[in-house]
Amino acid sequence: MEKEKALIVDDDPIVRDILADILSSICGFRIDTATNGLEALENLRNKKYDIIFTDLNMPKLGGMDFLKESIKSHPSIPVVMITGISTVDTAVAAMKEGASDFIIKPFQIDKVVTIAERIIGERKLLSKRNADTDQEASIKRINAELFKKLQEINILQSLSLELDGIYNNKDIYEKISDMATRLLSVKHAFFGILDGGCLNIVQSTEFQKKEIKINGSLYENVIKRKSCSIILYDGSEPYNGFCSNKEILFIPFTLKDEVFAILGLYDKPDQTAFTDDEIAIIQTFAKKASLRIENNALYEVFYNNLINTLKSLVISIEARDSYTKQHSERVAIYSLQIAEVMGLPDEDRDAIRFGGYLHDIGKIGVRDIVLLKPDRLSQEEEAEIRLHPVKGDEIVKPIRFFPKERDLIRYHHERFDGSGYPDGLAGDSIPLYVRILSVADAYDAMTSSRPYRPAKEHEVAIQELIKNSGIQFDPEAVNAFLQTPIGKGIRNED
Ligand SMILES: [Fe+2]
C-alpha cells in the first residue's frame, strides 16, 4: 500500500528536520518540505499530499495566509498548525479558519504521532464515506436496472399469458410486432413469415404489408446465422420498407432449428443501442411465441382430426334415423345465416359452424327403440330423449377448448321464457349463439317429416316461430331468421 505523504512548511530547518524525522520514522510518511507559504503553494500545485504541517510565522507568506490559500485550492488536505506556546491563540484562530489541529513546539513525539494518525484516520474514513456515496449511487443504478428488468419480466409474463390464449396462428402473427414494441419500449417493429424465397411481412407498425425477396437482402444473413443480429441499415440494400440509417434488431423465430419468421425492432425512444439484457428478453419472448405457434399448428391438426371424427359420429347417429338425415348440417347452415344477419363475431360463428353439427351428439346415448319409435313417446321415453343435451355435454366436456360448442350442445333445448331443459335457463342467460341455434333447430324440425307427422310447410313453420317469439325463442333471433335466405323461403334443396 502506498505511504501517506506529508508536506512540512517551516522556515526553521531544525523544526523541519525533527518533524520530518518523527513523521517518517514513526508514522511512515513520505515527506516533502517547504521554507515558507509561497514555496508550499508551489508544492501543492505539483504534488498530492495527505497532510500539511505549517508554521505560523514565516517570511514571504505566513502560515495563516497559506492556510487560507491551501483550503481554497485543496480543501480536502488537512492542515496542522505548528505553533510556539506564545502563539497558541493564533493557532486556535487558525482552526476556526479550517485548520485540523495544532502542535506546540517543542514537539512531544507522542502528541505529534497521535494528531497525525488521528487526522489521517479521519481522512481515510472520509474517503471511504465518499466511496460509499459512490456505492449508493451504484446501488441506485443497479436498482433501476433491476426495476427495468422486473418490468420487462412482468410484461413478458403477461405477453406469455396473452399468447397462451391465442389459438390461431394468424392472430399471433398479427400481434407479435405490437407485443415486441411493448416489451422493449421501441417505437417500431415488423414481423415477417418466410415463404419460399420471400419474407412475407404480415405486420408492421410503420410500413405496408409486403413481400421481400430474401436473396441478397439483409435478412439472408439473419436466416443463415439463426441468431439475433443488430444491423445498421444504411439504405444500400434493396428497399426494405423502413428508412435508412437505422439500427435494427433482428430476431429469428425458429421451429426445429429452422428459421420460419423474423421479427425486426428499431427506433428506441432514447436512441441508445440495444443492450444484451434487452436482446436476452426478446429472445425469450421469441422462443415462447415460437412454441405457442408450434402448439397451435399441432392443435390445428388435432382439432381438424377431432372435428372430422365427431362429424362422422354425428353422421352415424343421423344414419340411424333416416328422418333426421342431415338435420345437424342444415341447423348449422341456418344458424350461420342468422349469425350473419345479427353480426356475431367470428369466434361465435366458428362455434356455431361446428357446434351446429354436434348439437344432437348426445343422441348417441339414446336407445334405437326410443330414437326410432314411430309412435308418440311415453313419459319415460320422453325423459330419455330429454337427456340427450346432458349426455352430449358429457361427451365433449373432456375437450376443454370447446366451451361454446358445449353451450350449444347443452342448452339448445332451453327456452327463452325459462321453461326449457335441462337447466331451465332464460333470456340473456342463454348465450346468443344458442338462442340462434334454437330457432334454426326448431325450424328444421318442423319442416322435416317425422314418423308420427308430416313436414310442415315453410309458412306454417314461420308462423309457429313468430307465435313462440318471446316465449320459446329470442324475438331478435326470430326476426333475424326472417331476414335470412332460408327464413324468406329461399332454399337450396339438398
Ligand atoms: Fe336436440
Side-chain angles (χ1 to χ4, degrees), residues 241-259:
F242 32 76
C243 303
S244 55
N245 295 319
K246 284 197 187 300
E247 188 193 73
I248 306 159
L249 171 61
F250 289 102
I251 305 105
F253 279 50
T254 57
L255 279 182
K256 296 183 173 61
D257 205 34
E258 286 300 319
V259 177

Side-chain angles (χ1 to χ4, degrees), residues 327 359-363 385 388-389 408-409 412-413 421 437 441:
H327 163 71
H359 74 280
D360 271 339
I361 199 166
K363 283 187 177 168
I385 282 271
H388 79 272
L408 288 160
I409 292 165
H412 72 274
H413 284 290
Y421 61 92
L437 185 126
D441 189 24

Side-chain angles (χ1 to χ4, degrees), residues 330-344:
R330 287 194 300 271
V331 170
I333 292 167
Y334 302 166
S335 301
L336 282 172
Q337 288 184 7
I338 304 172
E340 195 176 334
V341 170
M342 296 186 80
L344 259 66

